């Protein structure tokens, strides 16, 4: 009993030397520290968002297998290997909380990819159903194989109004040699139709102007598009590449699982470049637009011919070049 009294007395003496304000301040500090410790970090939040967005996208695509098979560049994913090694501000300049962390950047990329799939799938499904419902009308509008458009590029070029600002050409990247030859012929015919107008060719298949020169040598060594470069040179059409440096080093692979088109009991693990995914295409398009718009300021009356893959220009997608340029004009 005597010891308890001495302990209580010592405590009262100690409190007498501590102001009420100090005690209150210390209590606030402890509560603040407790709250901060209980708050999830940015990395933890992004990791959870990857998992949640993956689950939602997977469930959404199961509902729309036709969209997954035909209209999307990839499926939902949770892994990129190796982690992205570009600076976050190069891809997402308006997202400061990514800092310099490759892990945060990777998870942010995956979350956007998965959320975009969840958002696009029902829209594309509705669009495809509308097309199917109008098949009789589409059949009437199809160009017969013997129509001049199928055998003569000149007929096709004559259908292009002379005041056109942007001519967008999308290829599937399959059978590109034939496509390149057709684009070369188209450039020849465009020059014949508009001999005095400034025409500029932009292409996915060359690096953007600010990319180091060694990349140009590597890309020009690809003979697939040689007819296009030759036609542009012969017809006084300057060529500007669009591909940013972050998409040229194609080492980053994204892994995603897709269902067998015949049913949902069989799944396949797929691997692809992240730059061919929906989010990768969106980021590349944003970079390409800045290149195109910069030159448009100096050449307001020129005809800009933009030759890329179909996913980049198809108006089905909200991030398409055609959509952005149509809004601008």
């Amino acid at each position: 009993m005597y010891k308890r009294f001495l302990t209580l007395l010592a405590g009262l003496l100690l409190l007498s030397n501590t102001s009420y304000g100090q005690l209150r301040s210390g209590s606030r500090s402890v509560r603040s520290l407790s709250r901060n410790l209980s708050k999830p970090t940015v990395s933890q939040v992004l990791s959870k968002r990857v998992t949640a967005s993956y689950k939602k996208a997977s469930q959404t695509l199961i509902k729309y297998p036709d969209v997954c098979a035909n209209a999307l560049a990839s499926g939902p994913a949770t892994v990129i290997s190796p982690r992205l090694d570009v600076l976050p501000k190069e891809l997402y300049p308006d997202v400061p909380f990514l800092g310099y962390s490759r892990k945060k950047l990777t998870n942010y990329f995956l979350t956007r990819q998965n959320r975009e799939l969840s958002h696009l799938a029902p829209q594309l499904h509705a669009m495809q159903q509308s097309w199917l419902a109008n098949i009789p009308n589409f059949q009437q509008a199809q160009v017969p194989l013997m129509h001049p458009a199928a055998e003569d590029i000149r007929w096709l070029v004559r259908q292009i109004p002379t005041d056109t600002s942007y001519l967008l050409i999308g290829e599937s990247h399959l059978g590109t040699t034939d496509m390149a030859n057709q684009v070369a012929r188209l450039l020849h015919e465009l020059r014949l139709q508009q001999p005095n107008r400034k025409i500029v060719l932009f292409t996915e298949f060359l690096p953007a102007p600010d990319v180091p020169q060694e990349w140009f040598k590597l890309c020009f060594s690809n003979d697939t598009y040689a007819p296009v470069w030759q036609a542009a040179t012969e017809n006084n059409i300057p060529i500007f590449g669009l591909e940013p440096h972050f998409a040229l080093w194609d080492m980053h692979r994204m892994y995603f699982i897709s269902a067998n088109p015949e049913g949902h009991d069989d799944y396949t693990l797929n691997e692809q470049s992240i730059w061919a995914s929906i989010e990768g295409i969106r980021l590349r398009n944003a970079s390409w637009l800045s290149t195109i718009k910069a030159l448009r300021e100096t050449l307001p009356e020129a005809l800009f011919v933009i030759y890329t893959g179909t996913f980049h220009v198809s108006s089905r997608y909200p991030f398409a070049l055609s959509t952005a340029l149509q809004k601008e004009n």
Side-chain angles (χ1 to χ4, degrees):
M1 184 69 180
Y2 180 69
K3 289 182 178 180
R4 290 181 183 176
F5 174 76
L6 289 178
T7 302
L8 179 59
L9 180 61
L12 291 173
L13 291 172
L14 179 62
L15 286 173
S16 67
N17 293 323
T18 304
S19 69
Y20 173 73
Q22 288 174 315
L23 283 173
R24 190 175 181 183
S25 176
S27 178
R28 283 199 302 267
S29 298
V30 171
R31 287 198 301 270
S32 176
L33 178 60
S34 176
R35 284 196 300 268
N36 289 335
L37 288 175
S38 64
K39 284 183 179 179
T41 64
V42 172
S43 295
Q44 290 171 333
V45 170
L46 289 174
S47 295
K48 290 180 179 179
R49 286 181 179 176
V50 171
T51 303
S53 64
Y54 173 80
K55 290 179 179 179
K56 182 176 180 181
S58 299
Q59 293 168 355
T60 302
L61 293 184
I62 287 175
K63 292 174 60 178
Y64 307 108
D66 55 331
V67 172
C68 183
N70 301 320
L72 296 175
S74 60
T78 57
V79 177
I80 293 177
S81 180
R83 287 178 184 168
L84 289 168
D85 57 1
V86 300
L87 290 175
K89 64 181 180 181
E90 293 185 65
L91 301 184
Y92 303 106
D94 300 326
V95 188
F97 62 76
L98 296 178
Y100 294 92
S101 170
R102 290 195 299 166
K103 181 179 179 181
K104 292 178 185 177
L105 173 61
T106 298
N107 285 338
Y108 187 78
F109 181 101
L110 288 167
T111 299
R112 291 199 62 132
Q113 161 72 9
N114 295 336
R115 287 180 174 178
E116 193 69 35
L117 291 174
S118 297
H119 178 70
L120 277 176
Q123 292 184 356
L124 294 177
H125 173 76
M127 190 181 299
Q128 289 178 191
Q129 293 304 307
S130 175
W131 293 346
L132 290 172
N134 285 279
I135 279 180
N137 296 331
F138 287 147
Q139 289 176 335
Q140 294 175 12
Q142 283 179 351
V143 176
L145 289 177
M146 297 306 295
H147 191 280
E151 59 189 31
D152 191 350
I153 295 293
R154 283 176 294 180
W155 181 91
L156 181 63
V157 171
R158 285 198 296 270
Q159 313 312 308
I160 302 172
T162 56
D163 62 347
T164 298
S165 297
Y166 297 98
L167 175 61
L168 292 89
I169 307 169
E171 68 168 38
S172 66
H173 298 328
L174 299 174
T176 50
T177 301
D178 291 339
M179 183 70 182
N181 287 327
Q182 291 178 11
V183 173
R185 291 169 55 198
L186 184 141
L187 293 177
H188 281 298
E189 295 301 328
L190 275 177
R191 177 51 74 204
L192 290 174
Q193 184 192 62
Q194 304 190 44
N196 299 317
R197 189 179 183 189
K198 183 72 173 180
I199 302 175
V200 178
L201 173 65
F202 293 90
T203 178
E204 166 189 356
F205 312 113
L206 290 175
D210 60 346
V211 172
Q213 287 295 313
E214 54 264 28
W215 284 105
F216 284 86
K217 296 177 183 178
L218 182 63
C219 293
F220 269 119
S221 65
N222 183 352
D223 292 337
T224 301
Y225 300 100
V228 178
W229 316 148
Q230 183 65 27
T233 303
E234 291 175 357
N235 290 280
N236 192 27
I237 299 175
I239 308 171
F240 288 84
L242 292 172
E243 203 69 283
H245 69 92
F246 62 74
L248 289 169
W249 187 245
D250 193 19
M251 63 180 292
H252 299 100
R253 317 304 293 176
M254 187 175 71
Y255 297 88
F256 61 95
I257 296 175
S258 63
N260 187 315
E262 303 301 326
H264 302 306
D265 296 330
D266 184 18
Y267 294 86
T268 304
L269 179 65
N270 298 276
E271 172 190 349
Q272 74 168 158
S273 166
I274 65 168
W275 306 119
S277 69
I278 289 293
E279 178 63 5
I281 292 172
R282 189 191 70 80
L283 288 170
R284 290 162 66 202
N285 277 13
S287 176
W288 297 1
L289 278 171
S290 63
T291 300
I292 294 168
K293 289 180 178 180
L295 193 62
R296 175 57 81 191
E297 292 180 1
T298 61
L299 298 172
E301 303 301 324
L303 168 59
F304 284 5
V305 180
I306 304 172
Y307 177 28
T308 72
T310 303
F311 270 91
H312 295 282
V313 297
S314 173
S315 58
R316 290 191 294 175
Y317 305 102
F319 49 78
L321 296 177
S322 55
T323 304
L325 294 173
Q326 191 171 27
K327 290 178 180 178
E328 177 186 310
N329 291 272

